[in-house]
Amino acid sequence: MNLSEIAYRRVVVKLGTSVLTSGSKQLDKAHMVELARQMAALMKSGVEVVLCTSGAIAAGREHLQYPTLPDTMANKQLLAAVGQSQLILAWSQLFSIYGLHVGQLLLTRADLQDRERYLNARDTLNALLANNIVPIINENDAVATNEIKVGDNDNLSARAALLCDADLLILLTDQKGLFDADPRTNPNAKLISQVVKIDDSLRMLAGGSVSGLGTGGMSTKLEAADIARRAGIEVVIASGHHPDVIKKVVSKESVGTHFSAIENPLESRKQWILAGPATQGSLVLDAGAVKAVTDKGRSLLSKGIVGVKGQFERGATLQLVDQQGKVIAKGMTRYCGQALSLIAGKHSDEIESLLGYDYGDAIVHRNDMVVL
């Protein structure tokens, strides 16, 4: 693979559990070494590679010889704690065949929603890449609870792609890509090779996980693709068992489903708003405010708010929704929920008299907002 033939300088590869186990109950080391070979060849060509790997819980079950355990959070964390060391050991051994070292980053949502921790994780990623070390990312399942989990490695890989400012995100799975119908039930289903826009009709096509081994189905891959492409990152969903799949995707051969990047990507702060903090509430906007935010690029003012949902502090990330409940934007509020309940629907010049203080006319400033 010649560098002159490659259009990307930094690539994130996400491997689902079904790819790593080949649909079995244990890690398929033979297939993992083939994937490592492809990534090593890419790195030899001058492209930096970040690996986002699933499989910790599956590796834990295998290492403990498939114990019968109640399906509790504590037992899942037990399996992840045992399996993560086995998973990273396997990757370390496989990449060492090609003279490469690996470095492990275990993340939770808490690492991504705190701006300082987000930047620290980014610095670590960049340091590993600068020293030709393969960063291997997984969710920190051994300590993560439902409240702080990203939830699936599809979305985690999209956030990793934003963290390291990647050019391409490859989501490898047990499907050939996104189809226009469910290929498991419809033999006439056709592969969608190119996606320019992700809309509600496309989301309806996304089904669940075929194998039942992983936490992410096609719907989470669409979510991940949407996050990444908004930051100017191309995305490909493809089969992890397609011959030379990583090489072919990077060489822009027609494999899987390709999602075009948005031409005017979000700046760094807005990428973080989109990818990092969990929303803590929502503001319901009237039709005029919806138009001002979506069509005119305006900040959200108190006059346009007709409802406040949730309890949150100043600086929280909120969803902005229309009166039909459709999410139109995501942004950081300059006022807490209690204050907004008092000033919703009121003119900006009434804020100080109602609250006794004033943080400005904008409830969510356009610089702190991502329009979806």
Side-chain angles (χ1 to χ4, degrees):
M1 196 186 305
N2 296 321
L3 188 57
S4 59
E5 300 172 357
I6 301 172
Y8 309 101
R9 60 179 181 79
R10 187 171 287 182
V11 176
V12 175
V13 178
K14 184 267 175 178
L15 301 174
T17 301
S18 59
V19 174
L20 297 175
T21 60
S22 299
S24 69
K25 289 184 177 181
Q26 61 192 43
L27 296 178
D28 182 351
K29 301 285 180 61
H31 188 55
M32 287 172 68
V33 74
E34 165 57 18
L35 294 167
R37 181 193 65 78
Q38 293 180 53
M39 287 182 273
L42 202 56
M43 292 179 69
K44 188 176 180 181
S45 300
V47 179
E48 295 172 330
V49 176
V50 176
L51 171 58
C52 188
T53 179
S54 300
I57 291 177
R61 284 199 181 99
E62 178 185 353
H63 188 67
L64 296 177
Q65 299 182 333
Y66 312 103
T68 302
L69 298 170
D71 189 21
T72 64
M73 174 63 76
N75 283 329
K76 288 179 181 177
Q77 291 173 325
L78 175 157
L79 291 170
V82 172
Q84 187 60 42
S85 60
Q86 298 301 311
L87 183 64
I88 197 69
L89 176 63
W91 282 122
S92 179
Q93 292 171 337
L94 296 175
F95 276 106
S96 71
I97 297 171
Y98 305 99
L100 293 170
H101 295 291
V102 304
Q104 177 176 249
L105 275 80
L106 297 178
L107 301 174
T108 67
R109 184 183 287 278
D111 298 310
L112 300 173
Q113 67 186 23
D114 179 90
R115 180 67 173 168
E116 185 175 359
R117 288 164 72 175
Y118 179 91
L119 294 174
N120 287 340
R122 187 183 70 179
D123 290 344
T124 303
L125 259 177
N126 286 331
L128 289 168
L129 291 168
N131 288 278
N132 203 39
I133 297 170
V134 184
I136 298 185
I137 298 175
N138 198 357
E139 181 136 32
N140 196 354
D141 289 317
V143 300
T145 60
N146 287 332
E147 289 75 22
I148 62 170
K149 282 176 71 67
V150 174
D152 62 85
N153 275 351
D154 295 320
N155 275 287
L156 182 63
S157 67
R159 286 155 171 81
L162 267 65
L163 265 178
C164 69
D165 192 24
D167 306 301
L168 174 67
L169 170 61
I170 306 174
L171 301 171
L172 296 182
T173 182
D174 49 13
Q175 291 280 322
K176 292 181 179 179
L178 182 65
F179 286 79
D180 61 3
D182 190 340
R184 294 166 288 176
T185 56
N186 187 342
N188 297 317
K190 292 184 175 62
L191 180 71
I192 301 171
S193 60
Q194 183 74 33
V195 172
V196 176
K197 181 181 178 182
I198 297 176
D199 54 21
D200 290 342
S201 62
L202 195 67
R203 291 185 183 95
M204 288 177 66
L205 295 175
S209 173
V210 174
S211 63
L213 291 168
T215 55
M218 196 58 73
S219 60
T220 62
K221 289 169 180 59
L222 277 188
E223 290 172 12
D226 203 22
I227 289 170
R229 62 192 292 275
R230 287 178 186 277
I233 301 167
E234 293 179 43
V235 183
V236 174
I237 300 174
S239 168
H241 286 84
H242 187 96
D244 271 335
V245 62
I246 296 172
K247 176 184 176 182
K248 288 177 179 176
V249 168
V250 172
S251 300
K252 293 201 168 188
E253 293 185 36
S254 183
V255 180
T257 302
H258 178 270
F259 295 79
S260 303
I262 291 178
E263 288 187 4
N264 298 309
L266 301 167
E267 63 267 24
S268 175
R269 180 172 174 79
K270 290 193 176 184
Q271 288 182 19
W272 172 70
I273 291 170
L274 179 66
T279 53
Q280 298 175 39
S282 60
L283 302 178
V284 184
L285 280 54
D286 65 21
V290 170
K291 188 171 183 178
V293 166
T294 57
D295 295 347
K296 299 179 181 179
R298 302 270 179 82
S299 300
L300 174 64
L301 305 181
S302 53
K303 180 66 176 174
I305 301 172
V306 296
V308 179
K309 298 180 180 179
Q311 297 180 342
F312 48 85
E313 297 301 317
R314 181 172 186 251
T317 302
L318 307 177
Q319 289 183 331
L320 308 186
V321 303
D322 63 18
Q323 288 176 282
Q324 288 71 49
K326 182 179 179 181
V327 180
I328 62 160
K330 184 178 177 182
M332 296 171 65
T333 175
R334 297 189 172 185
Y335 292 85
C336 69
Q338 186 177 6
L340 285 177
S341 296
L342 294 173
I343 62 176
K346 302 292 195 296
H347 285 285
S348 299
D349 56 14
E350 298 179 75
I351 292 176
E352 187 168 4
S353 62
L354 288 167
L355 299 181
Y357 58 87
D358 188 342
Y359 289 131
D361 292 351
I363 305 305
V364 179
H365 195 277
R366 65 177 182 269
N367 292 341
D368 295 329
M369 183 192 306
V370 179
V371 177
L372 302 177

